[in-house]
């Protein structure tokens, strides 16, 4: 990586997830960029279920992803923004000035105020910690995965397949896989049944204890509780004074600029991006990566058009031998068509490969 020079406009990118790294790489083709992120390697969020199950690998180093770009990586964490003074305060006590800022800090686990959750449950983003706890356990026990959405389903299936000696349970406040089409939900349930996963639906968690969960449907015993229930946007945008929506996601215009501070671009899970005919985009890799790519092109002068986006598919890993590819309408609503089994697995693997290819 090369360092910035005093003659360049100061472009600072906060966060090295899918949106941040692609924005930095796009802008860094010809312009100097400072990428602020504490990580040494890419946090490949859509494959964290593999890491938790002990099947993951070390993902590419940020230095490798930034090769050939004018990017300086500051291994630090942004803790505050001075929007008037155009400065970022870092956790090492230093400040970093900017002319253009890209806020790509994404999202974090939402505990929803559930008593004991933060103390006794392990969030998916600490996948390496989950892997270690399973390996160090004296004997197999019971794993409870809280969350019936894509992350929880992938995690429960991967763990059950990789660790057949453990009893795996998935606990959802509604229907497991409820966002998918009837065919998609039916296939998810068949796979979970085949893998021996206990399914607890309509069971809202009211407390997490060292020995498991208390839910509206009764207690659920667990030696290890994993939290994959939901995410919330990083709070820095709201704390700094950027205009945000009711969830704390920064409001942006059709060029992904803050509506209150146009010298700040916000991309990924931290942004409330509304596309005509599509609606407000959901959090996730499928929306974060194209936003980062767009802002990178915008800052590099390769586009001036408004941001555009349309949904095509949703996909799930269901262990190493099965998967689901769900076709969707442009607004992300479900079509009846799904690919399952080997076809679904190969389609999912292909899409994940395209994501990593886009980052490289």
């Amino acid at each position: 990586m090369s360092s910035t020079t005093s003659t360049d406009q100061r472009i600072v990118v906060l966060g090295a997830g899918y949106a941040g790294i692609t924005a930095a790489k796009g802008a860094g083709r010809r312009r100097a960029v400072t990428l602020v992120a504490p990580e040494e390697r890419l946090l490949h969020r859509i494959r964290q279920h593999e890491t938790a199950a002990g099947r993951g690998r070390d993902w590419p180093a940020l230095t490798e992803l930034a090769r050939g770009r004018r990017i300086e990586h500051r291994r630090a964490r942004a803790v505050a923004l001075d929007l008037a003074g155009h400065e970022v305060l870092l956790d090492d006590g230093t400040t970093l000035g900017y002319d253009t800022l890209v806020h790509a800090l994404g999202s974090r686990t939402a505990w929803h105020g559930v008593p004991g959750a933060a103390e006794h449950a392990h969030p998916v983003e600490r996948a390496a910690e989950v892997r270690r706890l399973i390996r160090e356990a004296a004997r197999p026990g019971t794993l409870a995965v809280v969350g019936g959405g894509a992350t929880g389903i992938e995690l429960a299936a991967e763990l059950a397949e990789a660790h057949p000696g453990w009893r795996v349970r998935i606990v959802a406040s509604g229907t497991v896989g409820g966002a998918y089409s009837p065919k998609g939900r039916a296939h998810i349930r068949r796979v979970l049944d085949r893998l021996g996963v206990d399914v607890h639906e309509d069971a809202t968690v009211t407390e997490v204890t060292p020995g498991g969960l208390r839910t509206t449907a009764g207690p659920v015993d667990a030696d290890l509780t994993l939290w994959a229930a939901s995410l919330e946007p990083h709070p820095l945008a709201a704390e700094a004074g950027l205009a945000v929506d009711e969830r704390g996601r920064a409001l942006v215009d059709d060029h992904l600029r803050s509506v209150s501070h146009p010298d700040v671009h916000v991309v990924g899970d931290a942004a409330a991006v509304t596309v005509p005919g599509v609606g407000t985009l959901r959090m996730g890799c499928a929306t974060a990566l194209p936003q980062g790519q767009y802002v990178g092109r915008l800052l590099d002068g390769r586009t001036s058009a408004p941001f555009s986006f349309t949904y095509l598919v949703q996909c799930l890993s269901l262990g190493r031998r099965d998967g689901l590819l769900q076709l969707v309408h442009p607004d992300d609503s479900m079509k009846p068509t799904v690919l399952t089994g080997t076809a679904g697995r190969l389609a999912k693997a292909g899409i994940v490969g395209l994501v990593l290819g886009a980052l490289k």
Side-chain angles (χ1 to χ4, degrees):
M1 297 186 190
S2 59
S3 298
T4 57
T5 65
S6 58
T7 58
D8 284 304
Q9 184 187 29
R10 299 170 300 172
I11 299 175
V12 174
V13 177
L14 305 180
Y18 301 121
I21 191 65
T22 51
K25 289 190 65 171
R29 284 161 49 99
R30 294 177 294 182
R31 304 176 69 178
V33 175
T34 301
L35 176 66
V36 178
E39 300 86 13
E40 178 184 0
R41 293 183 174 275
L42 172 71
L43 294 178
H44 204 0
R45 180 175 276 185
I46 60 175
R47 301 192 76 170
Q48 284 183 318
H49 57 284
E50 296 177 24
T51 299
R55 291 171 156 176
R57 59 181 177 83
D58 287 335
W59 304 116
L62 296 182
T63 51
E64 177 185 339
L65 295 179
R67 186 174 295 124
R69 299 292 196 268
R70 299 181 61 197
I71 299 174
E72 176 190 7
H73 179 202
R74 286 286 296 272
R75 291 195 64 183
R77 194 181 307 274
V79 295
L81 301 179
D82 177 357
L83 298 173
H86 288 199
E87 287 186 331
V88 180
L89 174 64
L90 305 179
D91 60 355
D92 60 8
T94 63
T95 58
L96 188 62
Y98 67 85
D99 297 301
T100 299
L101 180 69
V102 180
H103 180 305
L105 291 177
S107 57
R108 63 183 187 180
T109 294
W111 300 111
H112 299 300
V114 175
E119 294 79 14
H120 304 302
H122 302 273
V124 179
E125 58 255 41
R126 295 209 294 265
E129 176 183 297
V130 173
R131 176 181 59 194
R132 177 183 60 80
L133 290 170
I134 293 173
R135 285 179 174 174
E136 294 178 356
R139 59 183 181 277
T142 301
L143 293 165
V145 176
V146 179
T151 303
I153 293 167
E154 290 191 323
L155 183 60
E158 197 79 29
L159 289 168
E161 187 178 88
H163 302 285
W166 285 76
R167 184 172 186 175
V168 178
R169 293 168 166 159
I170 186 168
V171 182
S173 59
T175 301
V176 172
Y180 296 92
S181 68
K183 289 183 180 178
R185 290 196 300 274
H187 184 71
I188 290 166
R189 188 58 182 265
R190 282 194 297 271
V191 173
L192 294 178
D193 288 345
R194 172 173 59 79
L195 294 173
V197 176
D198 296 333
V199 176
H200 299 261
E201 297 181 319
D202 299 317
T204 301
V205 176
T206 57
E207 185 179 2
V208 183
T209 71
L213 309 167
R214 293 191 175 96
T215 80
T216 54
V220 177
D221 295 337
D223 298 296
L224 185 61
T225 297
L226 313 181
W227 196 269
S230 62
L231 299 171
E232 62 185 11
H234 194 287
L236 189 61
E239 292 171 354
L242 292 174
V244 298
D245 66 6
E246 67 281 356
R247 296 183 60 190
R249 300 172 77 186
L251 298 170
V252 295
D253 65 13
D254 60 4
H255 285 72
L256 306 188
R257 298 171 298 207
S258 165
V259 298
S260 59
H261 296 78
D263 54 340
V264 179
H265 293 268
V266 190
V267 291
D269 289 359
V273 179
T274 300
V275 176
V278 177
T280 300
L281 304 187
R282 59 176 164 85
M283 294 180 177
C285 168
T287 57
L289 189 126
Q291 290 174 44
Q293 291 174 321
Y294 167 80
V295 166
R297 294 194 303 271
L298 189 70
L299 295 180
D300 190 45
R302 285 177 285 137
T303 188
S304 60
F307 175 72
S308 62
F309 178 85
T310 187
Y311 292 102
L312 296 173
V313 298
Q314 290 193 31
C315 54
L316 282 177
S317 290
L318 297 170
R320 298 297 84 202
R321 294 180 294 160
D322 209 320
L324 172 70
L325 185 77
Q326 170 74 65
L327 271 62
V328 300
H329 295 284
D331 65 355
D332 208 28
S333 59
M334 299 295 143
K335 291 183 178 180
T337 305
V338 296
L339 292 179
T340 61
T342 300
R345 177 183 64 81
L346 292 175
K348 164 72 175 184
I351 290 171
V352 171
L354 289 174
V355 169
L356 192 56
L359 298 175
K360 291 182 177 180

